[in-house]
Amino acid sequence: MSAYQKMLVAIDLTEEAPQVLEKAKAVCSAHGAELVLVHVVEPVGYAYGGDIPMDLTELQDQLDKAAREELGKYGDQYGVAKDQQIVTVGRPESEIHRLAKEHNADLVIVGSHGRKGFQLLLGSTANGVLHGTECDVLAVRIH
């Protein structure tokens, strides 16, 4: 029996996502594990501190739709079934923690950018995921 049965890979839909997905697919194949592909869309109100006196629902819906389409392309390219592709709205760290529990993931895979100081090894999202996830976390170094 493999150490990992279900892996959750969280990507940000940038041009760097394939680096994370390539590593995730390799680890997944090596363990014969199931892969769940996740993208978290931050609420539009977060960018403005929630202080905008207007309805941002339509904009949020457009962002969600675009994210689903883009995640679907990655899912198709990397052989992840539609029912294992998840787009959700919220704070990335919190949503990744919730989804890892909900899907009984035993490994979470995220990308990590190099930073200065304390964030040298992990970006803020990867660091937040590491410190709140109950399963193992693999931070893939983004070049």
Side-chain angles (χ1 to χ4, degrees), residues 34-70:
E34 183 180 343
L35 188 64
V36 178
L37 183 57
V38 172
H39 174 69
V40 181
V41 178
E42 290 194 63
V44 176
Y46 280 9
Y48 302 102
D51 292 336
I52 297 210
M54 61 179 8
D55 184 8
L56 299 173
T57 306
E58 187 175 331
L59 177 58
Q60 188 72 57
D61 290 345
Q62 289 173 355
L63 291 173
D64 293 351
K65 182 178 184 237
R68 288 180 200 290
E69 289 172 3
E70 193 66 23

